[in-house]
């Protein structure tokens, strides 16, 4: 006769004993320990003053980027996400296919 594995769920109407212990820590959790001692190197602000970001936000970077070959078409759709196109002069490939100034639909 083979052994039947224990079911992962308790029988209907019975509480899982592990769940009971988890939701009643005041009964089952051990007392708090003494904690740790903070060293003098950690005391105060060990990481120094927070740095200020010098970069522009992504939204501000994309506005009027002035990059050669890039054409802004303004916000599109309900989300109002920015959209645009580029021509061959914006390509970094070896052999751009359309002449500079002509917009591609990509």
């Amino acid at each position: 006769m083979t052994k039947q594995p224990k079911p992962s769920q308790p029988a209907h109407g019975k509480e899982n004993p592990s769940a009971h212990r988890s939701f009643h820590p005041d009964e089952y959790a051990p007392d708090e320990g003494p904690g740790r001692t903070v060293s003098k190197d950690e005391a105060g602000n060990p990481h120094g003053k927070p740095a200020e970001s010098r970069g522009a936000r992504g939204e501000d970077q994309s506005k009027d980027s002035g990059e050669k070959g890039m054409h802004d078409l303004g916000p599109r759709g309900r989300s109002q996400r920015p959209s645009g196109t580029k021509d061959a002069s914006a390509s970094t490939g070896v052999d751009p296919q359309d002449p500079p100034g002509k917009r591609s639909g990509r």
Side-chain angles (χ1 to χ4, degrees), residues 25-81:
D26 48 319
E27 293 178 43
Y28 299 99
D31 292 333
E32 265 190 41
R36 68 181 192 90
T37 338
V38 178
S39 72
K40 76 172 191 170
D41 292 334
E42 292 179 301
N45 188 0
H47 304 292
K49 192 169 87 177
E52 291 289 326
S53 174
R54 287 183 261 159
R57 294 178 50 164
E59 297 90 349
D60 299 332
Q61 285 182 3
S62 66
K63 292 177 185 169
D64 302 324
S65 67
E67 288 186 51
K68 179 179 159 195
M70 303 298 278
H71 308 283
D72 184 16
L73 296 179
R76 283 258 169 102
R78 277 188 5 195
S79 66
Q80 293 295 295
R81 288 191 173 178

Side-chain angles (χ1 to χ4, degrees), residues 87-101:
D87 59 30
S89 64
S91 175
T92 57
V94 175
D95 184 24
Q97 295 300 307
D98 41 73

